Amino acid sequence: MLKILERDKDRLSGRTPIDPGFPDESCAKIETWIHNGPCIGIKYPGTGKKAVTCSHPNNDPIMRLAADLDVHVYIHTWLKVGGTPRLPGGDNLPSESTPMDVAKLAERFPQVAIICRSLLAAIGNSASAPSASQKSADGIRRLRPHSGMVDYAMRELGADRLVWGGHGPSRSYATELARFGCRYFKS
């Protein structure tokens, strides 16, 4: 992977995945893959080995390092409906961060650019969604433009705070782009 990222850095960029359950190991990985390597950002996967979300204090050294290196942090969030009573986030696993966890983290580290995957699920459900942080953004790759979600995101966050991305070879970029092209791109 390292050889590919170094060789094709004009066409590829990478984020190094970390686990906030292991902050020291995560910081070492960030030093290796970002400070001394080819990656451009940090990725919090959807779940970790320990019951630690992105709002937990374990994240503070990771975020301080992100600030020092001036790199963005991509956090995959969930808001699964469940529990008793059934509530948004009530069915999340103990290590699955919610958009509200991202809001708490963004309040502590407003200088760090954060991309919150699945933020829009929370905007209508909580006043504490990351819309308060001017550095936070939403990953909108799977939204359906015809459903009105992109328009909603643009109204709530502003177009300059939306990020589109894809899943690489597992999904067709042509299909993903066509969803937006028909609605938003002018020739």
Side-chain angles (χ1 to χ4, degrees), residues 60-138:
D60 292 359
I62 296 166
M63 295 301 285
R64 282 193 294 272
L65 186 53
D68 289 347
L69 297 175
D70 193 27
V71 296
H72 71 272
V73 176
Y74 178 96
I75 303 173
H76 196 145
T77 64
W78 300 91
L79 203 57
K80 298 177 187 173
V81 175
T84 305
R86 289 178 58 80
L87 296 169
D91 202 30
N92 280 26
L93 296 174
S95 64
E96 291 177 332
S97 297
T98 68
M100 288 71 80
D101 287 314
V102 174
K104 292 174 189 173
L105 185 67
E107 285 176 12
R108 292 200 316 265
F109 295 93
Q111 72 278 26
V112 176
I114 298 173
I115 301 169
C116 177
R117 165 66 173 84
S118 302
L119 165 64
L120 289 175
I123 290 177
N125 292 314
S126 172
S128 65
S131 57
S133 171
Q134 292 304 309
K135 281 269 210 165
S136 65
D138 185 28

Side-chain angles (χ1 to χ4, degrees), residues 2-184:
L2 180 61
K3 288 180 184 178
I4 293 169
L5 286 171
E6 287 175 342
R7 182 191 70 210
D8 297 324
K9 62 184 169 192
D10 59 324
R11 294 181 290 154
L12 297 174
S13 60
R15 294 184 187 104
T16 189
I18 57 96
D19 185 339
F22 304 93
D24 293 336
E25 292 88 342
S26 293
C27 286
K29 195 172 185 182
I30 292 165
E31 287 287 345
T32 299
W33 284 90
I34 298 174
H35 186 249
N36 299 323
C39 290
I40 63 164
I42 298 165
K43 180 181 183 204
Y44 280 67
T47 188
K49 293 179 183 173
K50 293 184 177 182
V52 177
T53 64
C54 72
S55 62
H56 189 278
N58 276 15
N59 295 281
D60 292 359
I62 296 166
M63 295 301 285
R64 282 193 294 272
L65 186 53
D68 289 347
L69 297 175
D70 193 27
V71 296
H72 71 272
V73 176
Y74 178 96
I75 303 173
H76 196 145
T77 64
W78 300 91
L79 203 57
K80 298 177 187 173
V81 175
T84 305
R86 289 178 58 80
L87 296 169
D91 202 30
N92 280 26
L93 296 174
S95 64
E96 291 177 332
S97 297
T98 68
M100 288 71 80
D101 287 314
V102 174
K104 292 174 189 173
L105 185 67
E107 285 176 12
R108 292 200 316 265
F109 295 93
Q111 72 278 26
V112 176
I114 298 173
I115 301 169
C116 177
R117 165 66 173 84
S118 302
L119 165 64
L120 289 175
I123 290 177
N125 292 314
S126 172
S128 65
S131 57
S133 171
Q134 292 304 309
K135 281 269 210 165
S136 65
D138 185 28
I140 60 170
R141 69 172 170 72
R142 296 192 68 204
L143 297 182
R144 308 294 193 263
H146 56 273
S147 72
M149 290 301 290
V150 175
D151 293 320
Y152 179 73
M154 290 173 71
R155 274 194 317 275
E156 293 295 316
L157 298 174
D160 60 327
R161 292 178 60 202
L162 298 179
V163 177
W164 182 87
H167 265 175
S170 66
R171 292 207 179 105
S172 163
Y173 278 119
T175 302
E176 296 284 323
L177 278 172
R179 291 180 180 160
F180 292 89
C182 296
R183 174 73 172 90
Y184 295 100

